[in-house]
Amino acid sequence: MTRLWPKFTFLHRALLATFLLAHPASPMASPSGSSMEAGVPLVRTGLRQQELSVPVPIPSPRPAPPEQKEQLQEDKKSESSSANNAPLPDEEASCRASLTKLGIDFREQKPIREENGCEVPHPIIIDRLSRDIALEPDALVNCTTALALARFFATNVPDMAKQHLQKKIRGVQHASAYVCRPRRGTQKLSEHAFANALDIGAFILEDGKPLPVQAQADAQSGAAKFLDAFRKAACGPFKTVLGPGSDADHADHFHLDMKARRNDYAFCQ
């Protein structure tokens, strides 16, 4: 019996080894409860999980075919046209009707809204101040300002020119209309930022000669009297009137605007 025990033990060991090689062990549970493949370290399993979690880039969409691009552009144009053709407020429509009666043509423009507060909800462009007086260059203003200019130049200016200049005025050169900027030396927006103002730099007489807006050497000259009469008559129809003598900033033009003030007060210098 003593001699057979070692042979028997050796035989069983050989059979056990053969069985294990033919039938690999199934995954064993780790002490923490997670599964682990036989023969594969736990660290390697972590690397595989990381590799599988790498995000995959999403492919870019295919470009639209030419006919679809054209349709999209047409749709955008249609939307823009619809926005521009939206009904105007009653006061804006009435203002435009009055301009037309005075013989002033105008071109509608898209609403202006700047990040710093400059805004013109219903801007228009005009190139005349009356049937007989052209405006150079074209000016972008709001309708209220355009109507005030048209009425003043149709009603007041012809008689003043005839009395003091003995000549008709055929044109006006302006220095600025809509400009998105603050008042000089301040952070407050100018009336120009709302298309609510026009700066007149010169009047063009019927003989083609310009009459610059500036202090005249001879205060008794027809030019000096006309400029003085213009400034006085403009105070009221316009809510702000500044010009030569007001300050250095207005030494070479008339500033006219329609700034609303309490009790319809006008500021004129």
Side-chain angles (χ1 to χ4, degrees):
M1 292 296 295
T2 304
R3 293 180 179 177
L4 292 175
W5 178 252
K7 293 182 180 180
F8 178 80
T9 303
F10 175 80
L11 179 60
H12 278 77
R13 287 179 179 176
L15 290 173
L16 179 61
T18 302
F19 177 80
L20 290 175
L21 290 174
H23 299 84
S26 59
M28 300 174 60
S30 66
S32 62
S34 61
S35 62
M36 178 177 67
E37 292 182 359
V40 180
L42 183 59
V43 175
R44 181 57 188 168
T45 302
L47 289 175
R48 287 179 178 176
Q49 292 174 351
Q50 290 177 3
E51 291 169 359
L52 292 173
S53 65
V54 174
V56 178
I58 300 175
S60 301
R62 293 181 179 179
E67 59 273 12
Q68 186 175 349
K69 287 183 178 180
E70 293 178 1
Q71 184 61 45
L72 291 173
Q73 292 175 353
E74 289 297 327
D75 292 344
K76 288 182 179 180
K77 289 181 181 179
S78 178
E79 291 175 3
S80 176
S81 177
S82 299
N84 291 336
N85 293 331
L88 289 168
D90 291 343
E91 62 273 17
E92 290 289 337
S94 176
C95 177
R96 284 157 172 73
S98 297
L99 278 179
T100 300
K101 288 180 180 179
L102 289 169
I104 304 300
D105 293 330
F106 54 87
R107 304 194 301 275
E108 297 285 356
Q109 300 297 299
K110 294 180 180 179
I112 298 173
R113 290 183 179 86
E114 304 284 355
E115 292 182 357
N116 58 357
C118 300
E119 183 174 5
V120 190
H122 306 286
I124 60 176
I125 287 180
I126 57 174
D127 60 8
R128 304 196 69 80
L129 296 177
S130 75
R131 286 186 173 91
D132 301 320
I133 301 176
L135 178 63
E136 300 176 358
D138 296 355
L140 191 153
V141 293
N142 61 38
C143 193
T144 299
T145 301
L147 185 56
L149 288 164
R151 286 172 172 167
F152 184 72
F153 275 84
T155 304
N156 300 73
V157 173
D159 291 340
M160 286 187 286
K162 182 178 180 180
Q163 178 181 354
H164 300 294
L165 301 173
Q166 289 77 50
K167 294 178 183 178
K168 294 180 180 181
I169 291 177
R170 293 303 188 192
V172 166
Q173 293 178 342
H174 79 84
S176 63
Y178 170 74
V179 183
C180 186
R181 64 171 176 81
R183 295 170 58 183
R184 187 167 298 181
T186 72
Q187 296 299 317
K188 186 175 182 180
L189 288 174
S190 164
E191 289 303 300
H192 287 284
F194 308 105
N196 208 32
L198 186 76
D199 289 348
I200 296 177
F203 298 91
I204 308 301
L205 306 182
E206 61 182 332
D207 59 7
K209 294 182 180 180
L211 171 56
V213 177
Q214 60 187 23
Q216 302 295 307
D218 182 359
Q220 298 303 313
S221 66
K225 290 181 179 180
F226 170 78
L227 294 176
D228 186 58
F230 183 95
R231 183 204 299 263
K232 291 177 180 177
C235 187
F238 300 95
K239 303 310 175 184
T240 305
V241 179
L242 302 171
S246 300
D247 53 43
D249 292 338
H250 298 89
D252 58 358
H253 66 273
F254 282 132
H255 169 90
L256 311 175
D257 75 44
M258 298 298 293
K259 178 179 175 61
R261 295 185 177 88
R262 186 178 299 178
N263 299 323
D264 204 28
Y265 172 74
F267 180 76
C268 307
Q269 282 187 340

